[in-house]
Amino acid sequence: MPVGWSVAERDPVGRMGAVTAPVELERPEAETATVPDVPWITLVWNDPVNLMSYVAYVFRSYFGYDRRKAEKLMMDVHNLGRAVVATGGREEMERNVEAMHSYGLWSTVQKADRS
Amino acid sequence: MTARFRRERRRRVTATFDPVEAALLRDLTGQLVELVEEGVPTETADPLAVALGIGPGTPPEDPVLARLLPDAYTAPGTEPDPSQVEDGTEFRRYTEVGLRQLKGNRARGVRDELAGDPTETVDVRLDEDRAAQWLTVLTDLRLALAARIGLRTEADAAELDAAADRAMADPGGLDDAAREDPRLGVHQVYSWLGYLQETLVRAMP
């Protein structure tokens, strides 16, 4: 389970994007037994309306993914019906979903280990 | 309908809309503004909730709004379990009002950009920010039109495309076909907006 991750910087066009710096979870003290947080994920679902080019644009613009990654995720949405576009804390994943909805994409949030 | 976006120097995109196209876009964006802004709570027992933009959390019944504001915790086409319903309601309570306002303001912005003499063409010149807003408005318009004609799945899309192709091949053309199937007129506008959006994505600065 990852204890740190980073999200690329915001693209100037994508004002919706929440910039998040690399996050490191502090390692728990030996005395305090902490249950590690299950990561949450943001999913984007295929729909028959949104243009492939637009979906890839949203992934570049909001998440700051490069063209190749954005295309790959878009093709996963298109071919597999959905793609995991981000992982992290619940609130951050919810913010992503809100942003995806503002772009007109269909997006949901769930725990990473939920099938 | 042939208007399309082009990229210009200095990170601008431009398009010219003939009077019919401009009128259509004005009308559609105006309808979208009304739709997303209706039902936003302005009077309620809890003025603090209103001031904070907290809504009731119940999913919209209107199919267009349901698609513009989908549930955040339920995968499409599945039945949610009780915790998903609860989480989805909470998410909606805190985000729906803001999203409606955002979409309404953007649609209004596009509509205002097209204001002018209804008999004249409209030239539009957009910087990056405005172009990005137009993209989201075009998507919302297409989602709205699709919802209105029951275009929910890839199969629906294929069926409508086939029906539109048959109509075009028919000597009576679209007008006759649209009389029999009212979805086809809307579908034609939906297709044009898709073309327009594609040109805008490609022209983005």
Side-chain angles (χ1 to χ4, degrees), chain B residues 109-128:
Chain B
V110 168
R111 191 194 60 189
D112 291 348
E113 209 123 24
L114 295 162
D117 188 324
T119 64
E120 297 192 354
T121 60
V122 178
D123 290 315
V124 163
R125 193 157 177 274
L126 309 172
D127 64 16
E128 290 184 57

Side-chain angles (χ1 to χ4, degrees), chain B residues 60-105:
Chain B
E61 290 183 5
D62 181 279
V64 172
L65 286 176
R67 178 56 188 89
L68 292 178
L69 306 162
D71 197 88
Y73 276 87
T74 306
T78 65
E79 281 302 310
D81 65 40
S83 71
Q84 285 174 294
V85 171
E86 196 178 314
D87 291 338
T89 300
E90 274 302 285
F91 178 90
R92 190 178 288 283
R93 285 187 67 222
Y94 287 95
T95 61
E96 176 165 324
V97 174
L99 277 170
R100 281 179 182 245
Q101 286 170 347
L102 181 65
K103 288 174 184 278
N105 288 337

Side-chain angles (χ1 to χ4, degrees), chain A residues 90-106:
Chain A
R90 183 177 187 169
E91 282 192 17
E92 184 193 343
M93 296 304 103
E94 283 193 341
R95 282 199 297 275
N96 292 338
V97 169
E98 188 181 357
M100 292 300 100
H101 291 177
S102 78
Y103 280 104
L105 270 56
W106 198 320

Side-chain angles (χ1 to χ4, degrees), chain A residues 73-89:
Chain A
L73 287 173
M74 177 276 289
M75 290 308 295
D76 283 348
V77 171
H78 183 70
N79 291 326
L80 305 176
R82 84 272 182 278
V84 177
V85 295
T87 66

Side-chain angles (χ1 to χ4, degrees), chain B residues 43-52 54 93:
Chain B
E43 294 168 21
T44 182
D46 186 351
L48 182 59
V50 173
L52 293 174
I54 299 173
R93 285 187 67 222

Side-chain angles (χ1 to χ4, degrees), chain A residues 2 4 15 20 29 45 47 54 57 60 64 70 73 76 82 89 104 107 109:
Chain A
R15 288 297 166 84
T20 47
E29 301 284 326
W45 299 85
D47 75 77
Y54 177 68
Y57 158 82
R60 291 196 308 274
L73 287 173
D76 283 348
R82 84 272 182 278
S107 178
V109 52

